[in-house]
Amino acid sequence: QKEVEQDPGPLSVPEGAIVSLNCTYSNSAFQYFMWYRQYSRKGPELLMYTYSSGNKEDGRFTAQVDKSSKYISLFIRDSQPSDSATYLCAMDNEYGNKLVFGAGTILRVKS
Amino acid sequence: EAQVTQNPRYLITVTGKKLTVTCSQNMNHEYMSWYRQDPGLGLRQIYYSMNVEVTDKGDVPEGYKVSRKEKRNFPLILESPSPNQTSLYFCASSAQNEAFFGQGTRLTVV
């Protein structure tokens, strides 16, 4: 079993839809939870960052962490074609030296 | 502008011919790492470095070497590349759990 599981998709939605992306994990030592966005032929870039449990909102994006269930989510409201990308969840322990990535979910937002 | 610069962006080589992929960062970060990205497997860490002259294996280190003689540079060395090392490689520089990635190097070993 992988440490971090993420459905690869692709997930195809119409413009304006609410998108839900999820990851599950098995390592209870993870304390930092991140979402990276990767456009085609580019390196990943940090989108959202959360420490421990709870929610974090940034514009149209909301990240949720449920440590009791070992489950994290990224919600995108009013999705746009420019949101089409691969979204990777990532997690790290308290020492910040072992970033582990999910396989990434391909998202396609159709106009 | 904060940057991680990798070179080359694309490389086709033959089995057994030594190659080096360079990585340089301008953010004065202590932590740097190399990843490979393969379909369905996501990003897997090859090697990482906590500081100058301090390197350690990641999850998939076999067939790779690294060095960290200067803070800004972290080259990835393939002494004898094999076809199973065909992949997309990313260098990253990190601080406070935020990783900044380079543009990637697409390597094909034939």
Side-chain angles (χ1 to χ4, degrees):
Chain A
Q1 183 189 7
K2 295 179 183 177
E3 271 190 298
V4 179
E5 298 277 0
Q6 183 177 10
D7 188 333
L11 180 61
S12 186
V13 301
E15 183 176 356
I18 297 174
V19 176
S20 172
L21 303 167
N22 311 293
C23 288
T24 58
Y25 64 95
S26 58
N27 189 344
S28 57
F30 289 141
Q31 296 288 341
Y32 298 93
F33 303 91
M34 290 142 277
W35 286 94
Y36 283 80
R37 179 175 60 195
Q38 184 178 19
Y39 290 114
S40 181
R41 299 188 179 136
K42 300 285 188 183
E45 55 181 354
L46 184 66
L47 189 62
M48 297 285 284
Y49 172 103
T50 309
Y51 174 71
S52 195
S53 286
N55 295 357
K56 186 172 185 179
E57 189 172 322
D58 184 1
R60 297 185 295 110
F61 299 90
T62 299
Q64 286 186 352
V65 176
D66 182 349
K67 289 187 70 179
S68 63
S69 301
K70 296 190 176 68
Y71 188 88
I72 71 170
S73 301
L74 177 70
F75 297 96
I76 306 174
R77 290 182 298 282
D78 187 25
S79 56
Q80 303 294 310
S82 59
D83 295 328
S84 298
T86 298
Y87 290 80
L88 301 118
C89 62
M91 307 174 191
D92 207 345
N93 58 27
E94 62 182 295
Y95 303 107
N97 64 353
K98 185 62 177 170
L99 195 60
V100 179
F101 285 85
T105 298
I106 298 169
L107 172 66
R108 296 177 183 145
V109 181
K110 298 180 178 180
S111 58
Chain B
E1 181 189 353
Q3 271 189 330
V4 177
T5 303
Q6 289 178 233
N7 279 298
R9 292 287 313 277
Y10 301 92
L11 179 60
I12 301 174
T13 190
V14 296
T15 299
K17 185 176 181 181
K18 181 179 178 180
L19 66 92
T20 299
V21 184
T22 64
C23 175
S24 180
Q25 51 101 356
N26 64 359
M27 293 166 279
N28 203 37
H29 288 162
E30 292 181 346
Y31 189 93
M32 296 184 73
S33 51
W34 276 101
Y35 294 85
R36 60 179 289 174
Q37 187 174 34
D38 301 288
L41 298 176
L43 284 159
R44 294 179 294 167
Q45 192 181 58
I46 302 170
Y47 268 93
Y48 66 94
S49 170
M50 302 286 278
N51 212 328
V52 175
E53 302 291 2
V54 181
T55 63
D56 206 349
K57 297 176 181 179
D59 296 314
V60 288
E62 294 78 21
Y64 305 96
K65 284 176 57 177
V66 293
S67 69
R68 187 91 182 274
K69 293 182 171 28
E70 305 165 283
K71 199 172 189 179
R72 61 183 292 122
N73 295 323
F74 190 43
L76 179 70
I77 303 154
L78 284 73
E79 295 269 4
S80 183
S82 62
N84 65 11
Q85 293 178 297
T86 293
S87 186
L88 180 58
Y89 292 86
F90 287 101
C91 177
S93 170
S94 305
Q96 297 175 335
N97 302 103
E98 179 173 359
F100 296 84
F101 286 85
Q103 293 283 63
T105 296
R106 185 165 292 283
L107 172 65
T108 302
V109 184
V110 298

